[in-house]
Amino acid sequence: MSGIVGIVNIDGAPVDRELIWRCTDFLSYRGPDAQQVHVDRNVALGHTLLRTTYESNTESQPLTLDGKVWLIADARIDGRVELLRQLPASSVSKSNPNDAELILCAYEAWGADCIHHLIGDFVFAIWDTRSQRLFCARDHLGVKPFFYAHLARTFIFSNTLNALRLDHRV
C-alpha cells in the first residue's frame, strides 16, 4: 500500500516543490517506512514506502537505474521467475531484483508493452527523460487505484484521491 504522487507541468514550468512535498507527506499513512521526492524542472515524483515483502527491504523510490528513466510504484509483482526468464539477461543487474527494479527492467526491454508481461497488483508511473514521456499503468483487474487530473497545463496523479485535492486547482 505504498503511496505515489506525481506532477508534470506540460508547458515546461518548474514544479512547485512545496506542493509535491505536501502531497508526499499526506501519503505517509500509506508508506511509513520511507518518503522521497525526485524533482527535475517540470516533473516531480513523490513516493512513500510500505515494506511488505522480503524484496522490498532493498527498495528505494523514486527509482532510476540509469538517471534517465524514473519510476514510482505501489506494486507486488507475481510470476517473478517467469518474468526474469523473459527479460534479456543484460537488463537485470542482480539475481534478486525488487518489484520496482523488475518493472523498470521490463519497461527498458518492452517499453509500454511491459504491462503485457507483468502479473500482480500494481500501479506505477515512469518518467522517461529521453523522450519526455510519462507512462502510467495499473494492474489488469484494477486492484490498485489510479486517480489523475489534467488541468490546463498540468497533469497530476496519485493512487489516493485526496492527495490530488491538495492542489488548489483540482
Side-chain angles (χ1 to χ4, degrees):
M1 288 261 315
S2 296
I4 67 168
V5 63
I7 303 169
V8 178
N9 285 336
I10 300 162
D11 62 357
V15 169
D16 180 348
R17 288 175 183 266
E18 192 176 306
L19 175 59
I20 192 65
W21 273 110
R22 204 168 49 246
C23 292
T24 304
D25 287 341
F26 175 81
L27 294 172
S28 65
Y29 74 94
R30 289 191 72 118
D33 297 325
Q35 287 183 5
Q36 191 60 24
V37 166
H38 169 72
V39 179
D40 182 14
R41 293 183 312 269
N42 65 314
V43 176
L45 304 172
H47 187 266
T48 62
L49 179 64
L50 176 63
R51 296 187 199 289
T52 58
T53 64
Y54 169 76
E55 293 83 14
S56 67
N57 287 329
T58 64
E59 204 167 300
S60 177
Q61 294 183 45
L63 173 68
T64 184
L65 299 176
D66 61 3
K68 295 177 174 66
V69 179
W70 291 84
L71 168 96
I72 52 174
D74 176 16
R76 189 201 76 243
I77 301 300
D78 298 328
R80 299 171 61 81
V81 173
E82 180 62 27
L83 181 59
L84 283 166
R85 256 190 250 131
Q86 293 174 10
L87 285 166
S90 61
S91 70
V92 181
S93 60
K94 57 187 189 180
S95 62
N96 192 23
N98 61 48
D99 293 337
E101 291 166 334
L102 277 175
I103 294 169
L104 266 183
C105 291
Y107 178 79
E108 286 298 331
W110 302 299
D113 285 339
C114 68
I115 60 167
H116 301 298
H117 298 269
L118 298 174
I119 301 170
D121 301 337
F122 57 84
V123 60
F124 64 84
I126 295 174
W127 175 250
D128 192 332
T129 62
R130 300 168 301 196
S131 61
Q132 295 291 292
R133 178 179 168 201
L134 177 68
F135 174 65
C136 302
R138 66 185 226 179
D139 58 86
H140 308 288
L141 296 177
V143 172
K144 299 285 186 176
F146 182 77
F147 302 98
Y148 65 92
H150 186 193
L151 309 169
R153 298 178 311 266
T154 301
F155 185 78
I156 183 170
F157 62 90
S158 179
N159 60 343
T160 303
L161 181 58
N162 284 336
L164 299 184
R165 293 183 175 146
L166 294 175
D167 186 331
H168 70 279
R169 300 168 295 178
V170 175

